[in-house]
């Protein structure tokens, strides 16, 4: 039958595995969340650029419409000029044609500048869309990999949790609670071996010989006077009993 210290050592082994699995699971979830945030940011930036390009396209259509309107107005005014004989009216029409041509020139200049800016933004949008496509593909692959690994971790967690419940149930409740407190406060290292040099495997402080003898007897749970961890000695280093003398 296993001694309390052996049960504690086995429990610590299970708890260490559980802690590692939970940390890995948390890291997976954090990485997935970070990647989703990154992709979400890329989507927002790309959508903003799409909106910018769409706005430029609307402005282009608006300018082209205004240019077409001015060209039609100029054409109509010239046709009217052919029918007018009054010099005053003819001069007024000529002035309107001249102003229309000036406006058309300004509109065409604006359209050319819009084309230049539009080409640059379309190129920027293409880069953003390509980058987003790669990021979304990576996100899909990571999500599938994370889902598979998370499923495996969940199965291991369930198995080890059941094992822990069994081991913990074999311990005295007060001892179990003290072990759990030390495990949490000491970074997952509650049960430590006394090293060959005779010092604590946790804090490296010297352990009194009488305590080491007490540990070998396996009678009581012995705590390190310095760090308060639970001390144990590997069975391979336990002292051999002296042979009994013949009667």
């Amino acid at each position: 039958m296993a001694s309390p210290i052996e049960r504690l050592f086995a429990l610590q082994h299970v708890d260490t595995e559980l802690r590692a699995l939970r940390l890995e699971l948390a890291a997976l979830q954090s990485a997935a969340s970070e990647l989703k945030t990154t992709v979400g940011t890329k989507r927002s930036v790309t959508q903003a650029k799409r909106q910018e390009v769409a706005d430029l396209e609307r402005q282009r259509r608006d300018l082209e419409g205004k240019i077409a309107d001015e060209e039609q107005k100029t054409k109509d005014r010239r046709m009217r000029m052919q029918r007018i004989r009054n010099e005053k009216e003819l001069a007024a029409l000529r002035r309107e044609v001249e102003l229309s041509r000036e406006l058309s020139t300004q509109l065409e200049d604006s359209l050319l500048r819009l084309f230049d800016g539009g080409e640059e933004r379309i190129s920027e949008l293409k880069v953003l869309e390509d980058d987003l496509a790669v990021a979304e593909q990576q996100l899909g692959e990571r999500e599938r990999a994370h889902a598979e690994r998370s499923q495996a971790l969940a199965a291991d967690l369930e198995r080890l949790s059941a094992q822990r419940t069994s081991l913990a149930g074999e311990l005295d409740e007060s001892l179990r609670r003290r072990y759990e407190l030390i495990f949490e406060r000491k970074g997952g290292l509650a049960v430590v071996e006394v090293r060959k040099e005779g010092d604590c495997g946790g804090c490296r402080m010297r352990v009194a010989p009488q305590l080491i003898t007490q540990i070998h007897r396996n009678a009581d749970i012995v705590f390190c006077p310095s760090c308060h961890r639970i001390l144990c000695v590997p069975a391979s280093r336990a002292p051999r009993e002296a042979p009994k003398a013949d009667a």
Side-chain angles (χ1 to χ4, degrees), residues 30-66:
S30 176
S33 177
E34 183 178 345
L35 189 56
K36 285 180 181 178
T37 300
T38 300
V39 173
T41 300
K42 289 180 183 292
R43 284 174 181 155
S44 298
V45 171
T46 303
Q47 183 56 38
K49 185 61 68 174
R50 287 194 187 111
Q51 187 62 48
E52 191 177 338
V53 170
D55 290 341
L56 287 173
E57 178 62 20
R58 282 192 292 273
Q59 292 176 41
R60 180 190 65 80
R61 290 196 300 268
D62 183 57
L63 284 171
E64 288 177 341
K66 289 179 179 179

Side-chain angles (χ1 to χ4, degrees), residues 39 53 60 136 174 194 224:
V39 173
V53 170
R60 180 190 65 80
E136 287 180 332
S174 61
V194 176
C224 172

